[in-house]
């Protein structure tokens, strides 16, 4: 800025060779942390309290369309595929990753390297900006705070959009900084900043949240550049006259043209019906407004967010040093602005501070832009009920900048006594050592115990399926098929590719499922159970400590043959069941007849209870005596005596 002291101008113009070497060494260290064993799976839990699964589920999803184009020269592998999800809303990301795949091949390491390179560029730009604007202590602190933040370290090694988004937001910040430092090149740097912001917005829609603050910052810096180049310094004139004078300059005009270009380009993008659908879907997903309007849900969640667990996790676990120091910097800026305003109201002359590096130094233009960036990102996250690290990563770079500026000012501040200065510097060094040691222990444990299941699973799947052409679906099938030449389609209930007529036309040949709770298998069992007929289990692969069963689906001919055999088997079973029922019926009838005969025999007997009640023996019935036969004497024979 033109009204700063000569000390600051000298610092911004000519960083020492030692400063460049220190920052280069830091950048090499940060790069090594991001490329060492790049194939390792991220930790199951990155930060305690955050349960998101994006760090191992979304890498293949974000690269789906780029992989299709790089391998088969098609964005979609079937005319009925409904997953054209990212190309409509993130064309810069999809095209950039596709070109990267064409140059270096399709694979997990290549996809991650695409983001790692941009993450390293982001760290380099952030440290360079801090060096030329606030000096070496601030640059070192900013680099350490962001480069060694555990959440950012893990996520900047993954093939997710947030790393690329942060990179291009910092490229846009470089444009703003250069516009302020090189006002005579206002047109060049204005367009440069607008181009970078457009790329950021077409990488991830989160960038749209920062467009209002960016447009205001770009306009104000353009007007300031017009005043510097045109020598328009008339503090006694009315602000309307000063504004008109600046608007007549070339610098102001090209800056306003750049702002208008940004607005027009984003309007053309947002007015597309497909983009509006994706924007509405993301807004509902981000705010969880499933039963009420997005704005009502966002405002209500934002109000509750200041007392929510999300805010506590940010300040206590995600980035405690960064966010607390950034808050102190915000308090410092507010207090200085209040003192300056009060002095002007009293008519006092506000003289420039003797040192631009101390705690009494006012915030410069980029500090204010970073402050606006951090506030917008914080409010957006408080308006979402999700405790997701990927949503909160966009908050870290501006917060690290503000925290680094606070540390740099405290390091260079003119303390009342040398002892105070030494105590502050020793305390800052101890904080840096503790933070570095904590990250180092986590990183070493991760490198020692981590697995590379995402990198191995493709080889395991090829060993089961072979070299034949295959179309694979399943909840984790994208990760399994990513490094293979097998085709893959995303199937999601009530979102895309879930209707029976689409499932039939996708040509699915294999199913990779995570047990009984795999929602893709459940969907197919509900919608197209006949497709699972006669499937054959090939084995299993392991991904992130999950056993994924690999099934080969039968061809239509094989299913028809199996169906005919199954119908014949069912008919035989039906006949056997009928014969068995008849046999059991005969057995029941025989048993019933025997039971009834036994009941009749039992009914003819005197009951035992009647015999037991008799107190005296019954008088026996006299036996009937048969009469004796009377025998007549025999007659004598004639002639006998």
């Amino acid at each position: 800025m033109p009204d700063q002291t000569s000390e600051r101008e000298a610092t911004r113009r000519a960083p020492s060779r030692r400063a460049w070497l220190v920052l280069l060494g830091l950048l090499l260290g940060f790069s090594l942390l991001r490329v060492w064993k790049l194939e390792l799976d991220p930790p199951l839990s990155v930060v305690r309290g955050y349960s998101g699964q994006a760090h191992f589920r979304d890498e293949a999803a974000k690269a789906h369309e780029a992989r299709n184009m790089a391998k088969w020269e098609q964005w979609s592998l079937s005319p009925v595929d409904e997953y054209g999800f990212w190309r409509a809303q993130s064309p810069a990301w999809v095209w950039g990753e596709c070109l990267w795949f064409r140059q270096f091949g399709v694979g997990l390491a290549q996809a991650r390297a695409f983001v790692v390179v941009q993450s390293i560029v982001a760290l380099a730009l952030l440290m360079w900006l801090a060096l030329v604007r606030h000096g070496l202590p601030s640059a070192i602190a900013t680099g350490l705070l962001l480069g060694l933040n555990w959440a950012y370290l893990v996520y900047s090694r993954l093939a997710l959009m947030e790393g690329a988004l942060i990179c291009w937001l910092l490229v846009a910040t470089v444009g703003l900084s250069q516009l302020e430092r090189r006002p005579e090149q206002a047109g060049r740097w204005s367009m440069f900043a607008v181009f970078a912001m457009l790329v950021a917005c077409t990488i991830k829609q989160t960038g749209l949240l920062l467009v209002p603050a960016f447009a205001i910052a770009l306009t104000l810096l353009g007007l300031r550049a017009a005043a510097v180049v045109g020598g328009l310094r008339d503090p006694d004139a009315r602000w309307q006259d000063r504004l008109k004078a600046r608007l007549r300059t070339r610098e102001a005009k090209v800056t306003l043209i750049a702002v208008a270009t940004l607005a027009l380009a984003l309007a053309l993008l947002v007015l597309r019906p497909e983009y509006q659908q994706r924007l509405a879907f993301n807004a509902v997903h981000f705010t969880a407004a499933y039963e009420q309007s997005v704005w009502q849900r966002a405002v209500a969640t934002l109000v509750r967010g200041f007392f929510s667990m999300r805010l506590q996790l940010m300040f206590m676990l995600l980035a405690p040093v960064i966010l607390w120091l950034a808050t102190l910097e915000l308090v410092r800026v507010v207090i200085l602005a209040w003192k300056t305003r009060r002095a002007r109201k009293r008519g006092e002359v506000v003289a420039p501070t003797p040192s631009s590096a101390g705690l009494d130094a006012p915030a410069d233009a980029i500090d204010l832009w970073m402050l606006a960036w951090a506030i917008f990102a914080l409010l957006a996250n408080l308006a979402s009920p999700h405790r997701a690290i990927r949503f909160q990563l966009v908050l870290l770079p501006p917060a690290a900048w503000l925290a680094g500026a606070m540390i740099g000012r405290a390091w260079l501040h003119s303390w009342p006594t040398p002892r105070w200065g030494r105590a502050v510097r020793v305390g800052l060094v101890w904080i840096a050592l503790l933070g570095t040691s904590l990250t180092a222990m986590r990183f070493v444990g991760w490198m020692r115990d981590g697995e590379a299941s995402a990198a191995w699973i493709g080889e395991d799947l090829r060993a089961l399926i072979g070299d034949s052409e295959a179309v694979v679906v399943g909840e984790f099938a994208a990760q399994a098929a990513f490094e293979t030449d097998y085709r893959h389609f995303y199937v999601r209930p009530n979102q895309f590719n879930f209707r029976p007529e689409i499932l039939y036309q996708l040509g699915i040949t294999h199913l990779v499922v995570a047990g009984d709770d795999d929602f893709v298998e459940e969907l197919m069992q509900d919608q197209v159970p006949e497709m699972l007929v006669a499937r054959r289990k090939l084995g299993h692969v392991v991904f992130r400590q999950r056993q994924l069963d690999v099934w080969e689906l039968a061809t239509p001919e094989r299913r028809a043959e199996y169906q005919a055999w199954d119908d014949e088997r069912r008919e035989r079973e039906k006949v056997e069941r009928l014969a068995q029922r008849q046999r059991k019926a005969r057995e029941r009838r025989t048993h019933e007849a025997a039971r009834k005969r036994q009941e009749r025999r039992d009914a003819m007997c005197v009951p035992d209870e009647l015999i037991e009640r008799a107190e005296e023996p019954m008088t026996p019935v006299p036996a009937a005596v048969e009469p004796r036969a009377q025998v007549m004497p025999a007659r004598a024979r004639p002639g006998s005596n």
Side-chain angles (χ1 to χ4, degrees):
M1 296 174 62
D3 57 347
Q4 298 299 317
T5 62
S6 58
E7 178 183 345
R8 179 173 181 176
E9 290 297 328
T11 301
R12 293 170 60 178
R13 283 197 302 268
S16 66
R17 182 179 180 182
R18 177 176 63 89
W20 289 116
L21 291 177
V22 170
L23 296 187
L24 180 60
L26 282 178
L27 187 62
L28 290 176
F30 297 152
S31 303
L32 182 62
L33 292 177
R34 283 157 177 79
V35 299
W36 184 258
K37 293 187 177 181
L38 187 60
E39 73 279 2
L40 281 188
D41 299 332
L44 289 174
S45 176
V46 179
V47 178
R48 186 166 54 87
Y50 291 88
S51 58
Q53 298 181 345
H55 56 287
F56 68 88
R57 184 189 292 270
D58 285 4
E59 288 184 285
K62 301 297 189 291
H64 177 75
E65 291 162 287
R67 173 180 180 266
N68 289 347
M69 177 57 74
K71 278 185 171 291
W72 295 285
E73 298 295 329
Q74 301 176 67
W75 294 116
S76 179
L77 301 180
S78 173
V80 299
D81 184 16
E82 298 177 323
Y83 187 72
F85 202 74
W86 300 112
R87 187 162 48 95
Q89 61 180 317
S90 302
W93 165 265
V94 175
W95 273 103
E97 195 170 32
C98 175
L99 295 175
W100 183 272
F101 284 159
R102 286 178 173 176
Q103 185 68 29
F104 300 103
V106 178
L108 178 69
Q110 293 89 328
R112 290 178 175 176
F114 176 65
V115 176
V116 167
V117 170
Q118 296 182 76
S119 299
I120 294 172
V121 171
L123 286 168
L125 293 178
L126 191 65
M127 289 192 294
W128 174 77
L129 282 171
L131 177 66
V132 299
R133 302 195 71 88
H134 294 310
L136 182 60
S138 179
I140 294 175
T142 302
L144 290 174
L145 288 171
L146 184 62
L148 296 182
N149 176 266
W150 179 243
Y152 183 70
L153 172 60
V154 173
Y155 272 75
S156 61
R157 290 169 52 101
L158 302 178
L160 300 177
M161 295 177 175
E162 284 72 19
L165 170 68
I166 289 172
C167 175
W168 285 96
L169 288 176
L170 288 174
V171 173
T173 303
V174 169
L176 295 178
S177 176
Q178 290 299 97
L179 174 60
E180 191 265 341
R181 296 178 72 234
R182 302 285 186 267
E184 69 280 1
Q185 300 175 357
R188 176 187 306 173
W189 292 111
S190 296
M191 288 297 180
F192 178 84
V194 165
F195 171 76
M197 194 65 184
L198 280 174
V199 174
C201 292
T202 51
I203 287 177
K204 189 174 177 64
Q205 291 181 345
T206 305
L208 295 175
L209 300 173
L210 303 179
V211 168
F214 176 81
I216 294 173
L218 183 60
T219 302
L220 294 178
L221 288 174
L223 295 176
R224 181 179 295 183
V228 173
V229 175
L232 304 175
R233 299 182 182 179
D234 190 1
D236 297 330
R238 296 186 311 164
W239 69 268
Q240 295 92 336
D241 297 333
R242 294 199 301 270
L243 178 60
K244 290 179 181 179
R246 295 182 183 187
L247 290 176
R248 287 192 290 268
T249 62
R250 174 182 174 276
E251 288 72 21
K253 291 178 181 178
V254 295
T255 301
L256 293 179
I257 291 175
V259 174
T261 301
L262 175 63
L264 179 60
L266 291 178
L268 293 176
L269 184 66
V270 173
L271 290 177
R272 294 173 55 199
E274 193 174 8
Y275 189 87
Q276 291 179 5
Q277 293 176 1
R278 299 292 183 263
L279 187 62
F281 175 86
N282 290 333
V284 171
H285 173 65
F286 185 75
T287 59
Y290 302 109
E291 297 180 356
Q292 60 187 124
S293 72
V294 170
W295 288 108
Q296 291 177 348
R297 173 70 173 176
V299 172
T301 308
L302 175 61
V303 173
R304 294 192 301 267
F306 288 100
F307 310 97
S308 66
M309 180 61 70
R310 297 187 308 281
L311 190 63
Q312 299 174 30
L313 290 174
M314 288 184 208
F315 277 81
M316 301 306 297
L317 295 175
L318 182 70
V321 177
I322 294 177
L323 293 176
W324 283 112
L325 290 178
T327 303
L328 288 178
E329 175 68 7
L330 171 61
V331 172
R332 189 192 70 85
V333 170
V334 172
I335 291 176
L336 287 179
W338 175 72
K339 288 182 177 180
T340 302
R341 184 178 181 85
R342 187 178 63 174
R344 287 176 178 173
K345 283 186 176 181
R346 292 178 178 179
E348 300 174 0
V349 178
V350 181
T353 59
S355 173
S356 64
L359 294 176
D360 53 351
D364 68 6
I366 301 304
D367 291 339
L368 296 177
W369 154 245
M370 289 289 194
L371 186 59
W373 175 355
I375 291 175
F376 273 73
L378 177 63
L379 294 178
N381 274 284
L382 293 182
S384 172
H386 300 292
R387 289 187 293 179
I389 293 177
R390 61 191 178 95
F391 290 159
Q392 298 176 7
L393 287 177
V394 70
L395 173 64
L396 296 184
W401 171 276
L402 297 172
M406 185 70 183
I407 292 175
R409 291 188 174 102
W411 186 276
L412 299 175
H413 184 68
S414 298
W415 295 97
T417 62
R419 180 176 297 178
W420 268 98
R422 287 194 298 270
V424 169
R425 292 174 182 176
V426 169
L428 293 175
V429 170
W430 272 107
I431 292 175
L433 290 176
L434 288 175
T436 303
S437 301
L438 180 61
T439 299
M441 289 188 296
R442 288 175 169 176
F443 187 80
V444 170
W446 177 23
M447 295 294 107
R448 182 185 64 244
D449 303 329
E451 297 181 352
S453 67
W456 299 336
I457 191 173
E459 297 181 2
D460 297 340
L461 188 65
R462 274 194 294 264
L464 293 176
I465 296 179
D467 297 331
S468 61
E469 293 186 1
V471 178
V472 185
V473 299
E475 183 176 354
F476 296 99
Q479 288 80 0
F482 188 77
E483 292 204 358
T484 70
D485 290 332
Y486 306 140
R487 303 190 178 205
H488 167 263
F489 293 101
Y490 273 96
V491 176
R492 290 292 184 273
N494 300 320
Q495 291 187 23
F496 33 78
N497 297 336
F498 63 94
R499 290 186 290 272
E501 60 273 16
I502 294 179
L503 292 171
Y504 278 120
Q505 297 181 59
L506 292 179
I508 301 170
T509 62
H510 291 79
L511 193 61
V512 179
V513 298
D516 297 333
D517 58 345
D518 190 284
F519 59 76
V520 176
E521 184 179 25
E522 292 179 357
L523 174 67
M524 294 183 69
Q525 288 175 347
D526 293 338
Q527 299 293 329
V528 286
E530 57 276 8
M531 289 186 65
L532 304 180
V533 171
R535 61 176 174 169
R536 181 169 63 97
K537 186 175 181 179
L538 301 178
H540 70 270
V541 295
V542 177
F543 174 68
R544 298 295 306 219
Q545 301 181 8
R546 292 171 177 257
Q547 178 174 305
L548 308 181
D549 296 328
V550 181
W551 294 86
E552 181 183 29
L553 302 187
T555 62
E557 295 79 9
R558 175 61 179 165
R559 286 201 298 269
E561 180 183 350
Y562 176 84
Q563 192 65 48
W565 173 85
D566 188 59
D567 292 342
E568 183 180 353
R569 179 183 60 84
R570 291 174 183 273
E571 186 64 27
R572 289 198 305 268
E573 291 178 352
K574 181 179 179 181
V575 172
E576 291 176 0
R577 287 195 299 270
L578 179 59
Q580 187 177 9
R581 285 197 299 269
Q582 292 174 349
R583 185 172 59 255
K584 289 183 177 180
R586 287 195 301 269
E587 291 176 354
R588 285 196 301 270
R589 289 195 298 270
T590 303
H591 177 74
E592 184 67 17
R595 184 183 63 81
K596 289 181 177 180
R597 286 194 300 270
Q598 183 65 35
E599 287 180 352
R600 286 195 298 268
R601 285 196 298 267
D602 294 343
M604 297 174 65
C605 298
V606 176
D608 295 339
E609 55 269 21
L610 296 180
I611 299 176
E612 292 175 357
R613 280 203 303 266
E615 297 180 356
E616 297 180 359
M618 298 179 65
T619 303
V621 178
V625 178
E626 295 181 358
R628 292 183 178 180
Q630 295 181 1
V631 180
M632 297 296 293
R635 291 180 179 182
R637 295 179 179 178
S640 63
N641 293 323

